[in-house]
Amino acid sequence: MNDFINKVSQKIGKLSDEQLERLITALQAENDTLSSVLESLSTGLVIVDDTWHLLQMNKAAERCLPLKARATRQSQEQKGEGQPVWALVDDHFIAEFLRSCATEQKSNASEEFSIAKDDKVCFFSIAVMPLVERRRKDDSESRETRIVGSIITVDDITEKRQQEILLHRMESLASLTSLAASVAHEIKNPLGAISIHIQLLQKVVKKSRAGDGMLPPPKFMEEYLDVINGEIEDLNKIVVDFLFAVRPVQATMELVEPDALIEKIVSFFRPEFESKCVNVELHLCKSAPRLLIDEKLFREAIVNLAQNALAAIQERFPPQTAALQERSGCTSYRRGELVLESFIKNDDYVLTVADNGCGMDSKTAARIFEPYYTTKTTGTGLGLTTVYKIIKEFRGGIDVKSVPGHGTVFTIKLPVPQKNTQLLEDKSKSAGV
């Protein structure tokens, strides 16, 4: 059809009125067909000119993109005549992505975004590619190509991301076998103690009835009953902790800037650490991409690791001793140190949480994430288990390295969202077109 139009356009002055009418009708039909195809696409398409002003937008793009003015597409396109396309988008991150593509002249780029809609989070992949026009050279069969604008594609990948999260949760259920075995072991001891004391009570009551019928002194009975009640409370605590350990993490996944969030978290607990003679240092990469995480759960994980570090530091450097040395003007004593560092490695966002506390031996470090395992006299032993669950919910990994008497380093690796669209390099520029 394009070749036909090109040939006809060269002889437009020789066509009769009837031929012109048929030509216009054919062009209108083809235009209607192309418009129908454009509107039927599930992928959102936004067409902009070389100055990034809006030329065309289909319905799928209207549904996906958060636009500042909820109006008809025609009015959107009219408003786009005086301002670039990113000025029409009511989302800071998407607008900045489009602006950077325009200012840095990126012809092939893609990125994922999350948008809150109607109390739920939706995920979109937005890609930018060049809009190429091919024209026949004057009096020649050859064609020349040139970039006349950009095509912005918007794909809704919410269902895909939710399926990935669901699949990951189902895989996590496989670890419940070992957890159930641990709980069975924990329950066995209290049940044994309850059984023994009930048997003792039954034996005493039976003996008293066979004799003078007098029951034992109240104190004697209460001691047994107190033991039984205590064991029942322990059982209840074990069951509650077990339910907490196996309950799926209710994560609301969003694309979040991790370094900015870590700075907020550290500013929250830094005063407490400084008051206990512990220095807190941050070495963040500052250029980390946004990660698919739950902000509240990520905060819980970091604070939990920090509190464990504080306990280890205080065990090695008792706060009373450090405070006395500080008041006496002594500056030679070693303060506690907590260092958080982030960097990008192999498509992963890596965060290390290091302290110079008492450290752990290899056997303890190997079991540190197990439910109910703790080296403290108090605590449930579920703190680091919770951290492990949260990081796994983010499709990441966490490991620990520790040296007794020197300190511990926790390393968290979180996947950087992959670009959903693999684009080919634009070779027209390198060819001098």
Side-chain angles (χ1 to χ4, degrees), residues 113-356:
F113 300 89
S114 62
I115 302 172
K117 285 187 175 183
D118 301 326
D119 298 329
K120 67 177 182 178
V121 178
C122 300
F123 299 93
F124 299 97
S125 176
I126 299 180
V128 176
M129 61 190 72
L131 177 62
V132 179
E133 180 184 69
R134 297 184 65 195
R135 283 188 174 183
R136 186 190 302 272
K137 293 183 178 179
D138 295 338
D139 300 327
S140 175
E141 291 296 326
S142 61
R143 295 177 180 272
E144 62 177 358
T145 61
R146 64 189 183 98
I147 297 176
V148 295
S150 298
I151 302 174
I152 304 169
T153 63
V154 186
D155 288 293
D156 189 339
I157 57 172
T158 303
E159 185 174 353
K160 177 183 176 182
R161 288 288 171 262
Q162 289 176 344
Q163 289 295 329
E164 290 176 354
I165 294 171
L166 180 60
L167 178 61
H168 178 73
R169 289 177 179 174
M170 292 177 65
E171 291 173 348
S172 299
L173 293 177
S175 63
L176 290 181
T177 302
S178 59
L179 182 59
S182 300
V183 173
H185 177 75
E186 294 289 334
I187 290 178
K188 185 177 180 180
N189 292 334
L191 284 177
I194 291 174
S195 176
I196 291 173
H197 284 81
I198 289 178
Q199 290 177 27
L200 289 174
L201 282 174
Q202 289 174 334
K203 185 176 180 180
V204 170
V205 171
K206 182 178 180 181
K207 183 178 179 180
S208 66
R209 286 179 176 173
D212 55 10
M214 297 293 293
L215 292 175
K219 185 177 181 181
F220 179 84
M221 298 282 288
E222 289 170 357
E223 287 178 355
Y224 286 126
L225 291 174
D226 288 342
V227 172
I228 292 173
N229 286 330
E231 296 295 338
I232 290 174
E233 289 180 5
D234 289 342
L235 279 174
N236 181 65
K237 186 174 181 300
I238 291 172
V239 172
V240 170
D241 290 343
F242 173 74
L243 293 175
F244 172 79
V246 301
R247 185 178 294 116
V249 176
Q250 299 298 320
T252 303
M253 309 291 273
E254 296 183 69
L255 287 168
V256 178
E257 292 182 337
D259 287 346
L261 179 56
I262 290 172
E263 288 181 340
K264 291 181 182 179
I265 297 171
V266 171
S267 66
F268 168 74
F269 64 71
R270 188 192 294 272
E272 177 189 0
F273 280 59
E274 292 290 345
S275 68
K276 296 178 179 178
C277 300
V278 178
N279 291 327
V280 182
E281 295 184 15
L282 283 178
H283 302 291
L284 305 179
C285 60
K286 298 294 186 182
S287 59
R290 290 177 297 152
L291 303 179
L292 192 61
I293 58 176
D294 182 299
E295 186 172 327
K296 292 177 64 177
L297 292 177
F298 187 72
R299 179 189 299 272
E300 181 180 347
I302 299 303
V303 170
N304 207 316
L305 290 176
Q307 291 298 325
N308 274 274
L310 179 61
I313 291 170
Q314 289 184 319
E315 185 173 340
R316 184 181 178 191
F317 306 111
Q320 297 86 352
T321 303
L324 288 173
Q325 290 177 323
E326 191 173 59
R327 283 197 295 270
S328 64
C330 176
T331 58
S332 61
Y333 74 93
R334 289 196 60 187
R335 290 175 61 97
E337 294 179 359
L338 176 66
V339 181
L340 288 84
E341 181 179 3
S342 69
F343 53 91
I344 303 297
K345 183 178 180 181
N346 298 331
D347 293 328
D348 284 329
Y349 173 84
V350 182
L351 173 67
T352 60
V353 182
D355 66 69
N356 64 340

Side-chain angles (χ1 to χ4, degrees), residues 427-433:
K427 298 181 179 179
S428 62
K429 293 184 178 179
S430 60
V433 177

